[in-house]
Amino acid sequence: SQTIHQWPATLVQPVGSPLSLECTVEGTSNPNLYWYRQAAGRGLQLLFYSVGIGQISSEVPQNLSASRPQDRQFILSSKKLLLSDSGFYLCAWSPTGQGSFHSRAETQYFGPGTRLLVL
Amino acid sequence: AQKVTQAQTEISVVEKEDVTLDCVYETRDTTYYLFWYKQPPSGELVFLIRRNSFDEQNEISGRYSWNFQKSTSSFNFTITASQVVDSAVYFCALSVRRYNQGGKLIFGQGTELSVKP
């Protein structure tokens, strides 16, 4: 069966410090990977998604970046954190849809999340 | 553009009551997918159901049931005989097919359900 891991679970960082959040998936190959942020107001915002190694798409301009160095590893980074980066970060994966390019909008499965507090 | 609206921000019921969570979506695509997720206090989003736009058949899973109506662009979720463990935030989401975009989810703002003993 497939599992998704995120770490750390909780992180408190000062403003201006760097950030690295890691997400790994087990039990599947070539998954689509996603980073979401959930702010205090509850809404979920898609930050980045990746359909393959080295392929990153950004949804909103921001202080964050993402990388996919391996098939099942997705990393969220920042060189200098802002107060507004605080939130709950969720990683998700979905199976690659049939066909090379068209997504079948497969179900996304979420990790346990990382709570980030920037002070 | 796609949009999902969950008009109920918070709902509070007493255990054993039935409760319906509303979801209204907007899209011009003819092929789309609808989802419900549950977010308990621990924070992890738990997948509940996925429906495609060509399947309007209602679904029942234990105490959970879903009513999909394309005519009103709604995908409502009913919990029968609610229990304290049902307390969580519930999200409705929409996804459409796009070239090489991995099936992005558009979420509603969520409905916080509180079931009191």
Side-chain angles (χ1 to χ4, degrees):
Chain A
S1 64
Q2 300 84 18
T3 56
I4 179 169
H5 304 279
Q6 284 187 247
W7 64 87
T10 306
L11 191 61
V12 180
Q13 291 285 94
V15 169
S17 63
L19 174 73
S20 181
L21 304 181
E22 189 164 344
C23 170
T24 58
V25 182
E26 296 177 354
T28 186
S29 297
N30 195 30
N32 295 325
L33 296 172
Y34 312 82
W35 277 112
Y36 289 85
R37 177 169 58 199
Q38 186 175 31
R42 192 191 303 162
L44 282 148
Q45 180 184 42
L46 178 64
L47 302 176
F48 301 94
Y49 65 91
S50 171
V51 298
I53 295 176
Q55 299 180 59
I56 309 294
S57 296
S58 174
E59 284 296 291
V60 293
Q62 58 203 311
N63 184 43
L64 303 169
S65 62
S67 62
R68 184 170 177 174
Q70 300 180 38
D71 181 41
R72 289 168 289 177
Q73 184 184 32
F74 205 22
I75 297 173
L76 184 68
S77 304
S78 174
K79 292 182 179 179
K80 289 186 178 181
L81 283 169
L82 307 172
L83 286 173
S84 57
D85 291 324
S86 293
F88 188 48
Y89 289 83
L90 287 155
C91 180
W93 76 275
S94 70
T96 303
Q98 292 180 358
S100 299
F101 300 110
H102 265 294
S103 163
R104 289 176 60 230
E106 300 287 349
T107 300
Q108 292 183 27
Y109 299 95
F110 286 79
T114 295
R115 297 192 186 279
L116 172 65
L117 178 60
V118 183
L119 300 174
Chain B
Q2 291 77 39
K3 184 179 178 182
V4 176
T5 301
Q6 294 179 256
Q8 306 150 306
T9 304
E10 297 178 6
I11 299 176
S12 183
V13 299
V14 177
E15 206 169 18
K16 298 184 182 179
E17 287 185 13
D18 298 348
V19 58
T20 295
L21 309 181
D22 297 333
C23 173
V24 174
Y25 62 91
E26 297 176 26
T27 180
R28 293 184 178 180
D29 290 69
T30 55
T31 301
Y32 53 88
Y33 305 82
L34 296 165
F35 303 80
W36 276 96
Y37 286 86
K38 174 182 179 180
Q39 187 177 38
S42 61
E44 180 176 352
L45 263 71
V46 178
F47 166 71
L48 296 178
I49 189 171
R50 173 177 181 259
R51 258 299 184 252
N52 71 55
S53 53
F54 299 108
D55 182 3
E56 283 193 77
Q57 189 172 16
N58 291 331
E59 180 155 341
I60 298 175
S61 176
R63 296 184 297 106
Y64 296 172
S65 62
W66 290 269
N67 185 345
F68 177 27
Q69 291 193 342
K70 290 178 73 171
S71 60
T72 56
S73 297
S74 64
F75 186 42
N76 296 337
F77 173 30
T78 297
I79 301 175
T80 303
S82 60
Q83 299 176 3
V84 173
V85 294
D86 295 327
S87 298
V89 180
Y90 291 87
F91 289 95
C92 181
L94 166 72
S95 185
V96 299
R97 297 178 66 175
R98 287 289 183 270
Y99 176 87
N100 208 22
Q101 286 190 6
K104 297 183 293 183
L105 284 173
I106 297 100
F107 283 90
Q109 287 298 300
T111 297
E112 183 171 6
L113 174 65
S114 177
V115 182
K116 302 189 184 303

